[in-house]
Amino acid sequence: MSKTSFKTTVEWQSINWRKLERRVFKLQKRIFKASQRGDVKAVRRLQKTLMKSWSAKCLAVRRVTQDNQGKKTAGVDGVKSLTPQQRLSLISQLKLGKKAAPTRRVWIPKPGTQEKRPLGIPTIKERAKQALVKLALEPEWEARFEVNSFGFRPGRSCHDAVEAIFNAIRYKAKYVLDADIAKCFDQIDHKALLEKLHTFPSVRRQIKAWLKAGVMDGKTLFPTEEGTPQGGILSPLLANVALHGMENRIKQTFKKAILIRYADDFVILHEDLSTVQKCQEIIADWLKDMGLTLKPSKTRLAHTLNEHGNEQPGFDFLGFNVRHFPVGQHHTGKNTYGKPLGFKTIITPSKAKQKEHYEAIAEIIEAHKGANQATLIKLLNPVISGWSNYYSTVVSKEAFSHQDYLIFQKLVAWARHRHADKSWEWISRKYWQTIGGDQWVFATQLEDKNPQILRKHNATPIVRHIKVKGDASPFNGDFIYWSTRMGKHPEAPHRVSMLLKRQKGKCAHCELFFRDGDVMEIDHKIPRSQGGKDEYRNLQLLHRHCHDVKTALDAAAGGVHDKAPNH
């Protein structure tokens, strides 16, 4: 390493990130408060101050070069990663303008379909500029977004949207319009979006440049006259801005109608059929102003309790099936006055998602017929854990047990294929162990140095999710509320939840509260290569960028660093 590069590496690592984060958040909080009280002049003044600040530019560069999952995905310039020297250089280049490099198109498969979804990957420089603009715009819009908008927002999740639906129908059966917007990201009208953003000229010009930059597919440049490219840091926020106002528009006509939206998926709920049909017309007309339309194949009108026309009761939303079941007096739900309702609200994993999950498991087993048992278990456990945790807040025990039964059958076939000449008694003794009274646990021999045990779906506890407070925001400064919610999120790995609780929501290195969107990693205080054990006393939760610093310190001290998995 040259003297110059060593100096810039030290210079980058010696930045007081804690001070920078506090300075930027203080501005964001002021933007949020000013937007809440409708003080547009103060919002614009504070946003300009933030985007000119060296602190915000540093954080934007660190976000795209060290934290983001896609940090090593190249744009059209082919640049995948930056050295500390290049990062410092990029900070000084973050100036908004009228031009933008085109995005690089990457096609990724859509889960559960044969279709592919286009992603537009901007260059690292454009990503950093977008991250900077997002730091300024997000607090303004978080103060304005509607209560029942849950997608692509800090501190909100699918589970909050599902809990909002449960609260909306738990005491009364209702008609539901389950709808999807056709090619939402690809068809948003640029002019309408920029008018709705109503931001100051330099940001408007830069966002317009990003929207009009075009996309490179292979060696061909395609113009972009509409839509926001999926894959950009700013795209989800822009899509939410475009769709902001749907709920308010419905409430203007029907105060008791409820619209719950997650990104471009939404449901409208009301006990009267004609009201829901009228709401559909209102929303279809409202979307036209943004250049959008409803997708007929994904738009369905049903009832939560009874059949409606050819439609069965209930509906699927975000991978969950929501419906009412008629029940007798001993099982019925009750209203707030204790009066029996005659039905019960049941939310389960949807049939389509159950089938999709089993096929993913079966594909892994089929593709690894020659792999040993330990390797297969290591491949299956993250898939099982992720799916089980996602559905751990609803009535999933029956679905979990069914998945375990299907996987057992598949593993029996896998084991028989490996040992066609052996008896079932021999095979079952080799691959299945008795643990805690369960005689059929797919696991390596327990006497092994590091036994591998396949996780069962039905071992996942069912814990009701508590919906986020309606008007709460991560920009309100209530760090304890938000860090506590992160630890209790159903998709948070168990070890992460435990460490968050032990560390009281703070990073062990920089001592700042973890915030939504922060990438967290588990670290061994004493590296395993130096005798450190894989136990809670030797584990700590760090920001990814803080983990990078800790790794460098471990290496400088002569230890080979090793990272604990986040599960």
Side-chain angles (χ1 to χ4, degrees), residues 282-326:
I282 290 169
I283 287 299
D285 189 54
W286 185 90
L287 288 170
K288 284 179 187 174
D289 292 338
M290 293 304 303
L292 300 170
T293 57
L294 294 177
K295 192 173 185 177
S297 62
K298 292 274 188 82
T299 302
R300 179 174 172 266
L301 187 58
H303 191 264
T304 56
L305 179 61
N306 307 313
E307 286 187 18
H308 171 67
N310 297 323
E311 298 291 351
Q312 292 297 309
F315 61 98
D316 288 352
F317 190 68
L318 302 177
F320 296 86
N321 178 259
V322 184
R323 67 172 288 189
H324 288 140
F325 286 87

Side-chain angles (χ1 to χ4, degrees), residues 32 36 134 138-158 160 233 235-241 243-245 247 261-263 467-475 482 485 489 515-517:
F32 175 78
Q36 268 188 327
K134 187 182 178 186
E138 193 167 51
E140 175 197 353
W141 283 92
E142 275 300 306
R144 296 168 62 180
F145 283 143
E146 295 152 319
V147 170
N148 286 320
S149 163
F150 296 100
F152 303 132
R153 290 184 61 192
R156 282 163 168 74
S157 68
C158 302
D160 292 311
I233 288 173
S235 297
L237 177 61
L238 294 179
N240 264 338
V241 170
L243 298 176
H244 170 66
E247 187 180 346
R261 180 172 68 83
Y262 187 90
K467 189 179 85 68
V468 66
K469 291 177 187 173
D471 58 351
S473 168
F475 296 109
W482 291 105
R485 281 189 64 81
H489 193 279
R515 291 167 59 194
D516 190 83

Side-chain angles (χ1 to χ4, degrees), residues 126-336:
E126 299 299 345
R127 272 179 256 173
K129 282 202 269 186
Q130 287 191 23
L132 180 62
V133 170
K134 187 182 178 186
L135 285 172
L137 289 185
E138 193 167 51
E140 175 197 353
W141 283 92
E142 275 300 306
R144 296 168 62 180
F145 283 143
E146 295 152 319
V147 170
N148 286 320
S149 163
F150 296 100
F152 303 132
R153 290 184 61 192
R156 282 163 168 74
S157 68
C158 302
H159 300 86
D160 292 311
V162 171
E163 192 63 22
I165 289 171
F166 175 79
N167 291 337
I169 65 170
R170 64 188 299 184
Y171 299 127
K172 195 170 281 187
K174 293 179 179 177
Y175 285 95
V176 56
L177 176 73
D178 176 17
D180 189 5
I181 299 166
K183 296 183 177 177
C184 176
F185 277 87
D186 300 331
Q187 294 185 349
I188 292 171
D189 183 275
H190 288 173
K191 187 179 177 184
L193 174 59
L194 290 167
E195 284 177 5
K196 199 168 184 180
L197 269 170
H198 192 59
T199 188
F200 47 96
S202 59
V203 173
R204 179 190 169 94
R205 282 194 297 268
Q206 183 61 74
I207 291 176
K208 185 177 181 181
W210 284 325
L211 294 173
K212 302 288 186 187
V215 60
M216 289 287 291
D217 198 341
K219 293 184 178 180
T220 310
L221 177 65
F222 294 94
T224 46
E225 297 302 324
E226 58 187 11
T228 63
Q230 293 183 68
I233 288 173
L234 200 58
S235 297
L237 177 61
L238 294 179
N240 264 338
V241 170
L243 298 176
H244 170 66
M246 290 173 69
E247 187 180 346
N248 289 337
R249 177 64 189 89
I250 289 294
K251 292 284 185 188
Q252 286 171 10
T253 311
F254 302 104
K255 287 186 178 179
K256 290 189 177 179
I258 297 170
L259 186 146
I260 294 166
R261 180 172 68 83
Y262 187 90
D264 57 346
D265 286 343
F266 67 92
V267 292
I268 297 174
L269 300 155
H270 196 275
E271 58 192 286
D272 179 57
L273 174 61
S274 61
T275 297
V276 176
Q277 290 171 328
K278 181 64 179 171
C279 286
Q280 181 177 354
E281 293 172 18
I282 290 169
I283 287 299
D285 189 54
W286 185 90
L287 288 170
K288 284 179 187 174
D289 292 338
M290 293 304 303
L292 300 170
T293 57
L294 294 177
K295 192 173 185 177
S297 62
K298 292 274 188 82
T299 302
R300 179 174 172 266
L301 187 58
H303 191 264
T304 56
L305 179 61
N306 307 313
E307 286 187 18
H308 171 67
N310 297 323
E311 298 291 351
Q312 292 297 309
F315 61 98
D316 288 352
F317 190 68
L318 302 177
F320 296 86
N321 178 259
V322 184
R323 67 172 288 189
H324 288 140
F325 286 87
V327 290
Q329 61 178 345
H330 298 298
H331 294 91
T332 180
K334 294 179 181 179
N335 66 14
T336 50

